[in-house]
Amino acid sequence: MNIAVIGTGYVGLVTGTCFAEMGNNVICVDNNESKLERLQLGHVTIYEPGLEILFERNIREGRLIFTNDLSNAVNECEIIFLCLPTPQDEDGSADLSYVMDVAAQIGAIMKDNNDYKIIVNKSTVPVGTSRKVSNILSDSGFINFDVASNPEFLREGYAVEDFMKPDRIVIGSDSPHALAKLEDLYEPFVRQGNPILKMNPESSEVTKYAANSYLAMRITYMNELANFCEKVGADVDLVRKGMGTDNRIGKRFLFPGIGYGGSCFPKDVNALIKTSIDFDSEMTLLTVVDSINKKQKLKIVEKIKSEFGENLSGLKFGIWGLAFKPNTDDMREAPSIYIIRELLKLGAKIKAFDPAAHETSKFYFDSQIEYSLNIYDAAENIDALLILTEWNEFRNPDFNRLSNSMNNRIIFDGRNVFEPIKMNEIGFTYYSVGRQVVNKTDKVNL
Ligand code: NAD
């Protein structure tokens, strides 16, 4: 099939590349000239495991091209995927201007042309957006089209794997033809038997928000539970295992930490809250989730203050991990941003290491923080180490080397990467999430 993908960011680039990998001809359109130039030169613009090899192969074989020519892409392709940003607006709602602008442009391109098109919305958009896109297209005089909602569930860091073998595909449309066509397109991705769920556009649009908000709520529950465990002498890791082995609960997504971040959960929770208010059916549970999450991002700073006092000037902190989660260079709404800003405000100096996110971080911090070559460099002459992203390469460091390079053997671990008992044995003061603090001077019996 000939497919156009409009917007070549995290979702669009993965979508375009994976569709090309399944033998489709894909034209990716973006209006960011510098991004486009890099893509056209054959450079992958995001860090995503497994993407580069597919990207290079499909460019080489002529199935994947990048352009700013929307008109040509729309004319050439029957199926047009919108993978455009829907950032949070000031009132919490999803800003639909990117989606609506491109829908209007497609309408203008097609108004004198009767070729049939399916416009598929992969961006995360509030319920009712399919109808709005449909209205914009027909208002411009274009009539031969169907609109479908096809929310994307990929996880950054596993995006290629998730796209190639999705748990499920959700397609929402009132058009049996569009549903059948998209089912054909996705069939090769679900050969193991995972379902393609067809529904009306409203249900499809709500499904995406329902899934993300549920996951955000689950993490938030664990974060609050972790704070409680710290106060009462419980170990949240043991509690997590004790509850997660109940099949009704399940083991995944029960890890407490420093709050959820990323480009999706925070904005999607807020957008669902806003839509629920608009429809006079407020989801107050989510309002609480959002507010707990904001506080959770700064809990680690409270722990730092309990150790060093309110004034951190003259102190230097090493940071392992800047990305909002491992295996990505994405820092949108990353807890690290809030934590580093707060530490800088309190007078601290920061040196940081992340395996992928230094370039992204410069956008947020410019030269306000130092960047290190590796984990040991980030620990050299620091007063304490903070672990903010659980990259695998942080899990088994040479603790002797760390001890020798740090001014104080103090770690604030926002991701529970190490075992408290081990840290105590090797003489570190170790703060983690939902578990008791161990102090280098007191050997404890955990
Ligand atoms: P992104 O910001 O990484 O990418 C969007 C791209 O659209 C950018 O490259 C931008 O230059 C381009 N663009 C903007 N206006 C354009 C226009 N008029 N014409 C052509 N290109 C244009 O965003 P993303 O993370 O890929 O997210 C896209 C959508 O998918 C959002 O609605 C998001 O909520 C949703 N989503 C994201 C993820 C994720 O993990 N990132 C997962 C599922 C769903």
Side-chain angles (χ1 to χ4, degrees), residues 26-86:
V26 181
I27 305 178
C28 288
V29 181
D30 208 287
N31 65 354
N32 177 326
E33 287 303 326
S34 64
K35 185 178 281 193
L36 202 54
E37 199 181 307
R38 285 165 65 204
L39 290 165
Q40 285 168 335
L41 287 171
H43 302 302
V44 179
T45 43
I46 55 172
Y47 177 89
E48 195 58 63
L51 183 60
E52 200 161 350
I53 188 166
L54 304 189
F55 173 84
E56 284 171 357
R57 176 164 58 227
N58 285 286
I59 291 178
R60 206 169 45 240
E61 292 177 7
R63 284 192 299 267
L64 181 62
I65 59 171
F66 298 92
T67 176
N68 60 3
D69 189 346
L70 179 68
S71 186
N72 179 57
V74 168
N75 280 308
E76 290 290 317
C77 304
E78 181 174 290
I79 306 181
I80 301 160
F81 279 88
L82 307 184
C83 300
L84 294 156
T86 49

Side-chain angles (χ1 to χ4, degrees), residues 343-358:
L343 294 177
L344 291 173
K345 209 157 62 185
L346 296 170
K349 289 205 163 33
I350 303 288
K351 61 198 302 206
F353 173 70
D354 186 286
H358 288 186

Side-chain angles (χ1 to χ4, degrees), residues 6-12 29-32 35 83-86 98 101-102 105 122-125 152-156 208 263-264 267-268 330 332:
I6 321 299
T8 316
Y10 281 85
V11 169
V29 181
D30 208 287
N31 65 354
N32 177 326
K35 185 178 281 193
C83 300
L84 294 156
T86 49
Y98 297 87
D101 282 356
V102 170
Q105 287 178 56
K122 220 176 219 326
S123 299
T124 303
V125 291
E152 181 50 58
F153 297 96
L154 63 76
R155 295 163 300 166
E156 285 182 24
K208 173 65 190 174
S263 68
C264 293
K267 84 170 170 65
D268 292 350
D330 197 343
R332 288 177 283 185

Side-chain angles (χ1 to χ4, degrees), residues 129-182:
T129 303
S130 286
R131 309 261 174 237
K132 288 185 185 160
V133 167
S134 207
N135 291 342
I136 286 202
L137 290 166
S138 40
D139 287 352
S140 62
F142 177 37
I143 42 163
N144 195 14
F145 68 87
D146 284 312
V147 172
S149 153
N150 169 223
E152 181 50 58
F153 297 96
L154 63 76
R155 295 163 300 166
E156 285 182 24
Y158 301 90
V160 172
E161 193 182 319
D162 286 349
F163 198 95
M164 296 300 281
K165 288 186 181 165
D167 288 344
R168 78 306 207 184
I169 296 292
V170 171
I171 309 171
S173 181
D174 294 329
S175 154
H177 179 72
L179 288 171
K181 197 88 194 180
L182 291 171

